[in-house]
Amino acid sequence: MLTTLKTTYTDTRAADLAWCLGKAPLPALAVLDLRLADSLVQLRLLGASHQVLLEEEGGVCSETVACLPGSQTPLPLGVAKRVGAWEYEFAARIETLSHGSFAGRAQELLALVAEHPHGLAGVFPGSPHAFTALLAQRCDGRVGWRTWHAYPQEGRLVATRTRVGARQPASL
């Protein structure tokens, strides 16, 4: 699903993104509710980037990647931790692209997410390449999502990947 967001573009620098687990639902500009097997996943576009809410029998997980006032946790390159009964893995990378490469990559990503049944993308007013996009899936008993945050004025694209699943028993 592709939408034009009705807000000003507030998270205008990749370096301002912060990561947080466990935050309560924030006001969203667009929402996509999904059922992936026994998991309920809510993809949320915020004026300041994204939030994903995951609910299963084993509990709830909330991930927020956004430019939030007073946030103390910058965007990490990687996180692996236990969240309730789950293993949570997060990875982020920032790409710097030329103007022409950026426009092409933005179009590719928006087309991919807009046409996917588990995808949500929002374009901010002012630039067709200023967007946040999310894509969820379930694979091998785990729920995962990828996100892209585009900063055309910097030529930067922030990509994240998250996987959440039941803890695996230790092998002998």
Side-chain angles (χ1 to χ4, degrees), residues 89-160:
E89 296 173 11
F90 173 87
R93 77 181 191 308
I94 300 174
E95 296 177 58
T96 302
L97 303 164
S98 69
H99 180 72
S101 295
F102 189 92
R105 183 79 172 126
Q107 289 172 341
E108 286 175 3
L109 290 169
L110 286 172
L112 169 75
V113 174
E115 296 175 17
H116 196 285
H118 301 147
L120 175 63
V123 177
F124 290 89
S127 171
H129 304 130
F131 68 90
T132 298
L134 300 94
L135 186 62
Q137 67 179 21
R138 185 170 185 93
C139 183
D140 298 329
R142 303 185 94 180
V143 175
W145 53 89
R146 297 195 57 192
T147 73
W148 298 271
H149 307 259
Y151 300 91
Q153 69 285 359
E154 292 185 317
R156 289 191 172 179
L157 184 68
V158 178
T160 73

